[in-house]
Amino acid sequence: MMDLRQMEVVVAVAETGTFTAAARRLHVVQSAVSGTVKSLERELGTPLFDRTTHRVKLTPAGEAFVPAARTALRAAEMVQEAVSAVRGQLRGRVTVGTMQGVWAGLHHALAALRSEHPGVVVQLRQAAISDIRQALRDGSVDLAIVALDRQQQRGLTTRLLSHEEMVVLAAPTRGFSRTTPGGSVELEDLTELPLVDFSPGWAIRYAVDRSFRAAGVDRATTFEVNDIVAAAELVRNDLGVCIMPMSIADRFPELCQYRIHQHAPTWKVMVVHPPGDPSPAVAALLRHLA
């Protein structure tokens, strides 16, 4: 009869894409992973993976097996967490997903959780929103800190963490004809300027794109980066301007901020998780995110 360890091995292979990577994750030799999978496939009477030279791919049977295995593994963890919580020694694992550019004080909550419950292990995964939503559905992520619109929230339990407008960040030498630093600009004012933008998949990029579409304004990205500090350096050297949440722009006080008069991108950061009662470890982290 199959056991939880076999399920864990199959899930690790599915998530990492190779037997070797799964072995590294599980801290075992590659032959042990391969042997476990072969043994389980014999027991089930069907292959779970199509083997190729470089990667493995789930078969239809594997596609059905992995989500159910994740559910079983998570249920076993929740049993252990519930028992440890009764004993006053909370243990368990929490996997947190987050989008690029979204933080919302998450590090403070993680530090507080570690101080209160050192036996809880936290894993952090940064990914695009489509990947995070899929991870929430299949149970590989327990909760996420994200920026979502109303349609993307469907089927999830959500709680707002912060809400603010985005601003234009510019070098002190960069002037706008119709305003002074601290004043307001129009999105149209930015169309002739080099724009520092973030890669697709970033929450900031998603919000900015949506605002330009709402305003009916075309824009061209001059610099596309995947790092907040890199964006600020380009702005500092007056190579372009950048739109970002005010709370992030405040990290660079030497640069000038301009509010956007109309169609300003908004920044709604929330914590989301699947409906239903969270595990004790997840509930503990949610309390610290309040």
Side-chain angles (χ1 to χ4, degrees):
M1 180 178 293
M2 77 179 72
D3 57 31
L4 293 174
R5 181 60 176 176
Q6 290 174 310
M7 296 181 193
E8 183 181 23
V9 170
V10 171
V11 169
V13 174
E15 291 181 350
T16 61
T18 68
F19 287 84
T20 301
R24 285 197 298 267
R25 175 191 286 190
L26 299 171
H27 306 291
V28 298
V29 297
Q30 188 269 341
S31 59
V33 171
S34 180
T36 298
V37 174
K38 288 179 180 178
S39 175
L40 181 58
E41 288 176 328
R42 284 196 300 270
E43 181 180 338
L44 294 173
T46 185
L48 298 175
F49 296 99
D50 286 327
R51 279 80 162 171
T52 64
T53 303
H54 301 292
R55 293 185 66 83
V56 295
K57 182 181 178 182
L58 287 168
T59 63
E63 293 281 2
F65 181 92
V66 169
R70 286 196 183 107
T71 299
L73 291 169
R74 190 64 188 127
E77 289 179 354
M78 291 180 68
V79 169
Q80 293 177 332
E81 291 172 14
V83 172
S84 63
V86 171
R87 298 171 58 193
Q89 299 174 342
L90 184 59
R91 296 183 180 277
R93 174 182 57 84
V94 180
T95 303
V96 181
T98 186
M99 301 166 69
Q100 288 270 25
V102 176
W103 204 239
L106 175 59
H107 54 299
H108 296 305
L110 295 180
L113 178 68
R114 182 182 61 186
S115 177
E116 182 182 14
H117 300 294
V120 174
V121 177
V122 176
Q123 296 177 325
L124 186 66
R125 296 183 183 177
Q126 194 173 61
I129 182 57
S130 58
D131 295 330
I132 291 176
R133 280 187 57 83
Q134 178 59 40
L136 286 166
R137 284 195 294 267
D138 65 30
S140 57
V141 163
D142 297 303
L143 63 86
I145 310 298
V146 291
L148 298 176
D149 61 23
R150 183 170 299 176
Q151 184 175 2
Q152 292 172 323
Q153 297 172 26
R154 291 177 181 173
L156 297 172
T157 299
T158 67
R159 187 174 77 239
L160 185 67
L161 296 178
S162 65
H163 183 199
E164 60 182 296
E165 288 187 354
M166 295 190 185
V167 297
V168 178
L169 197 66
T173 53
R174 171 71 64 176
F176 290 90
S177 59
R178 292 186 287 181
T179 189
T180 58
S184 296
V185 298
E186 304 287 348
L187 286 178
E188 290 85 348
D189 296 333
L190 309 181
T191 56
E192 302 301 322
L193 297 177
L195 186 63
V196 179
D197 213 340
F198 297 96
S199 302
W202 275 59
I204 297 175
R205 173 68 176 265
Y206 177 82
V208 171
D209 284 347
R210 185 173 54 187
S211 288
F212 272 99
R213 286 195 301 268
V217 177
D218 293 326
R219 58 78 178 265
T221 297
T222 305
F223 300 97
E224 189 174 274
V225 299
N226 62 357
D227 180 76
I228 295 290
V229 175
E233 283 299 316
L234 291 167
V235 172
R236 181 177 291 108
N237 287 279
D238 200 18
L239 294 171
V241 299
C242 183
I243 301 174
M244 62 177 64
M246 189 181 299
S247 58
I248 297 178
D250 286 343
R251 302 179 193 175
F252 309 102
E254 73 281 7
L255 301 177
C256 297
Q257 295 182 23
Y258 298 83
R259 300 183 71 88
I260 299 172
H261 181 238
Q262 288 185 319
H263 300 289
T266 56
W267 186 240
K268 290 184 179 180
V269 177
M270 58 197 71
V271 57
V272 301
H273 58 87
D277 295 330
S279 71
V282 172
L285 179 55
L286 287 170
R287 286 194 296 272
H288 288 295
L289 285 166

